[in-house]
Amino acid sequence: MKINDVIVQTITKIVSFIILTFAVYIFFAGHHNPGGGFIGGLMTAGALVLLYLAFDLETMRKIIPVDYKIITALGLLMALGTGIGAILLGYPFLSHTFDYKDLFILGETELATALLFDIGVYLTVIGVTMTILLTIGEDDY
Amino acid sequence: MFELLIKMAAIILSVSILISTYRVFKGPTMPDRVIALDIIGINIIALVGVVSVWLSTQAFLEVILLIGILAFIGTISFSKFIERGVVIERKRD
C-alpha cells in the first residue's frame, strides 16, 4: 500500500512554526504573566514531536542533527552558571539581579539574570522530554 | 442577565462534554473514541473561554491556545497509531 501523508505534512510545516512562536512568546512572558521556562520548553518539545510524527526518525535526524542529552547538560550548566556567577561577584549562591537597559529596537527593557536561569530550565525540559520520547520511539517494535 | 447567560453557556458546554464522554465509553470502534476525545478538548477550550469571561480575567487566554495545540497533537498521534500501529516511524518507505 502506498502511503501518502501530504495533508499532515503540509499542515505540520505551517503549524509547527506557530507552536514554536507561541513557545517563545510564553517563555518571555513568564516574568510578568503566566508562562515561563517549563511550559515554554514543553511547547517547543510539542512542536518537535509534531515534526517527528509527520516525518520519520531518519529524516528528522538529518534535519536536526542534535543529541538531546547534550542539550539537557547545557541547560543544567547554564542554570548552575547563574548561581556560580553570583558567588564570583561576592553574593550568596543564586542571587539574581535586574536592570533597565536601552535596547536597540525594543526601547527601555527590563533585563533580569533570572532569564538566564529560565533559559537553563527551558533547554533542560526540551532535552529531557525529547530524550524520553525518542528513546521509546527508537525501540524495536 | 449577563451572569445568567454565562452560567447557561457553561452548563450547556458541560452537558455537551458529558454526552461526548458517553461516546468515549460506549463507542463501538476506536476512531469514535478518538473523535469524541477531540470534541471534548474543543468543548474544554470553549469552557475555559466562558470561565475566563465569568471571572473577568485574562490569565487563562494562553490555556486556550495550549489546549488547542495539545488536542491537535494528541489526535494526530492517536490516528497515526490506529492507522499504522506505530506513532514515530523509524524509516518511511
Side-chain angles (χ1 to χ4, degrees):
Chain A
M1 192 178 80
K2 187 94 170 111
I3 294 171
N4 193 354
D5 271 350
V6 65
I7 293 179
V8 69
Q9 286 182 354
T10 311
I11 292 295
T12 298
K13 283 172 196 163
I14 302 167
V15 166
S16 60
F17 281 100
I18 298 175
I19 301 177
L20 284 173
T21 315
F22 178 62
V24 171
Y25 161 71
I26 213 166
F27 170 70
F28 280 111
H31 199 62
H32 295 291
N33 289 317
F38 187 76
I39 188 67
L42 278 183
M43 273 294 101
T44 310
L48 290 174
V49 164
L50 190 59
L51 284 169
Y52 274 97
L53 282 173
F55 301 95
D56 53 326
L57 279 172
E58 301 280 328
T59 315
M60 286 302 289
R61 194 172 290 136
K62 208 165 21 177
I63 295 171
I64 311 177
V66 176
D67 190 0
Y68 290 103
K69 294 188 280 297
I70 294 176
I71 294 204
T72 310
L74 213 65
L76 287 173
L77 269 181
M78 194 167 238
L80 190 65
T82 58
I84 302 290
I87 286 185
L88 290 182
L89 293 177
Y91 294 101
F93 184 60
L94 281 178
S95 299
H96 286 289
T97 180
F98 66 97
D99 199 5
Y100 290 93
K101 283 273 189 288
D102 221 8
L103 288 189
F104 180 55
I105 305 171
L106 299 171
E108 194 182 20
T109 314
E110 181 183 4
L111 293 177
T113 53
L115 180 70
L116 295 174
F117 185 81
D118 226 18
I119 288 176
V121 175
Y122 180 80
L123 292 178
T124 309
V125 169
I126 292 177
V128 169
T129 314
M130 294 313 290
T131 305
I132 291 171
L133 286 173
L134 293 185
T135 311
I136 296 171
E138 277 170 352
D139 212 0
D140 273 330
Y141 48 86
Chain B
M1 186 64 196
F2 186 68
E3 188 92 357
L4 181 72
L5 283 178
I6 290 295
K7 282 178 186 171
M8 284 297 293
I11 289 170
I12 290 170
L13 285 167
S14 311
V15 170
S16 167
I17 290 176
L18 277 179
I19 295 171
S20 306
T21 314
Y22 172 76
R23 183 48 68 196
V24 172
F25 283 128
K26 201 70 178 175
T29 63
M30 213 43 122
D32 286 333
R33 295 191 169 97
V34 173
I35 293 294
L37 281 176
D38 198 26
I39 292 171
I40 286 176
I42 290 167
N43 278 323
I44 285 175
I45 292 174
L47 198 56
V48 170
V50 166
V51 166
S52 65
V53 171
W54 193 350
L55 300 176
S56 64
T57 175
Q58 291 186 355
F60 298 144
L61 296 187
E62 282 93 356
V63 177
I64 293 175
L65 197 49
L66 208 62
I67 298 174
I69 291 167
L70 288 183
F72 179 66
I73 294 176
T75 308
I76 283 191
S77 9
F78 268 129
S79 40
K80 195 161 178 192
F81 180 70
I82 288 172
E83 193 179 349
R84 309 262 174 86
V86 56
V87 179
I88 296 178
E89 289 164 298
R90 181 167 309 174
K91 186 85 183 81
R92 189 174 297 274
D93 42 346

